[in-house]
């Protein structure tokens, strides 16, 4: 896998950091590596941090949705964290959503939710 993304395993959760310079090839490699890691680590969740992405195109948006769908099929709940307002608006303008994902403002919020500590 390239330096454009990294996968870490913490507390039964795969943390995926996606860098701003990720290429189409890198994101396809990430898709394969992530699906293998979900199974190998028996991950209960995947948290994708996209805070480094300033913009997204339809390809990246579609792959994010596919990553979430694959994770769900492999029995791992998926969170997308760190989404910038411009990225959210672009996804809406492109008619894309991430139906298989939950969103959270940050990694901390996602992990809190996964631990069942979220309040009101």
């Amino acid at each position: 896998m390239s330096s454009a993304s990294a996968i870490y395993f913490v507390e039964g959760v795969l943390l995926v950091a996606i860098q701003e310079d990720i290429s189409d090839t890198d994101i396809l490699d990430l898709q394969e590596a992530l699906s293998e890691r979900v199974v190998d680590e028996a991950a209960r969740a995947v948290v994708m941090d996209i805070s480094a992405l300033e913009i997204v195109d339809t390809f990246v948006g579609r792959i994010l949705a596919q990553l979430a769908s694959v994770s769900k099929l492999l029995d791992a709940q998926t969170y997308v964290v760190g989404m910038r307002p411009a990225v959210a608006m672009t996804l809406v303008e492109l008619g894309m959503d991430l139906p298989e994902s939950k969103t959270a403002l940050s990694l901390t919020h996602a992990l809190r939710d996964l631990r069942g500590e979220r309040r009101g």
Side-chain angles (χ1 to χ4, degrees):
M1 189 169 15
S2 76
S3 62
S5 63
I7 303 174
Y8 307 97
F9 187 66
V10 179
E11 296 180 23
V13 177
L14 288 171
L15 309 175
V16 182
I18 299 175
Q19 302 305 311
E20 69 177 317
D21 59 347
I22 195 163
S23 70
D24 292 355
T25 303
D26 292 334
I27 205 157
L28 289 171
D29 291 344
L30 172 62
Q31 186 175 23
E32 184 175 332
L34 182 60
S35 59
E36 290 174 5
R37 290 283 303 270
V38 168
V39 173
D40 292 346
E41 305 282 2
R44 62 186 179 95
V46 172
V47 178
M48 292 186 285
D49 182 355
I50 63 168
S51 59
L53 297 179
E54 292 186 23
I55 57 170
V56 294
D57 58 16
T58 54
F59 180 75
V60 172
R62 186 170 49 85
I63 294 297
L64 289 173
Q66 287 177 356
L67 288 170
S69 293
V70 168
S71 296
K72 183 177 181 179
L73 286 171
L74 297 173
D75 198 30
Q77 188 173 6
T78 304
Y79 282 80
V80 175
V81 302
M83 188 178 303
R84 295 173 186 241
V87 170
M89 288 186 284
T90 300
L91 289 174
V92 169
E93 288 169 1
L94 293 172
M96 304 182 84
D97 60 6
L98 304 171
E100 304 296 343
S101 299
K102 290 187 172 190
T103 57
L105 293 176
S106 68
L107 173 60
T108 302
H109 288 99
L111 291 176
R112 185 180 307 141
D113 191 36
L114 285 164
R115 291 181 189 127
E117 297 174 0
R118 187 176 228 179
R119 296 184 181 106

